[in-house]
Amino acid sequence: FSSSFQGSMVLFFKVGERVKKVSFSGKTLADLQRLFLERFTDLSRNDLRPFYIIDRETRLQYELDDIEDLYPNCVLELK
């Protein structure tokens, strides 16, 4: 995901066994959290924890702290 990226990117939010497909066009982690709360209306801001993403090269899951790490069709898991 590049800061020069224009348009939107398909992502998947996962909580437990629940998965939702979204189109993300934001620029910050706060935008990502807002979209997450719009899709999981039964959760609140108090339920937010870090998102985990899988690194494409190592296949290791790590805590997302940089919006630049997003890539098309990645899964963002809330643990």
Side-chain angles (χ1 to χ4, degrees):
F1 189 83
S2 165
S3 55
S4 62
F5 178 80
Q6 300 295 320
S8 63
M9 179 187 305
V10 171
L11 309 172
F12 295 88
F13 286 133
K14 181 177 182 190
V15 178
E17 297 300 314
R18 298 165 56 199
V19 177
K20 302 216 180 205
K21 182 179 180 179
V22 299
S23 180
F24 179 65
S25 58
K27 304 228 183 293
T28 67
L29 288 174
D31 293 337
L32 197 61
Q33 290 174 334
R34 249 188 312 282
L35 180 60
F36 174 84
L37 290 173
E38 288 172 12
R39 295 304 305 237
F40 287 93
T41 57
D42 57 317
L43 299 177
S44 72
R45 188 160 288 288
N46 294 334
D47 296 312
L48 287 178
R49 297 177 298 282
F51 290 110
Y52 283 80
I53 187 171
I54 294 176
D55 181 82
R56 290 186 281 188
E57 288 185 34
T58 65
R59 307 303 298 160
L60 291 172
Q61 192 174 47
Y62 65 96
E63 189 175 310
L64 179 69
D65 58 5
D66 186 349
I67 201 81
E68 299 286 324
D69 291 348
L70 294 179
Y71 55 90
N73 299 308
C74 66
V75 176
L76 298 172
E77 186 172 0
L78 195 68
K79 294 185 171 191

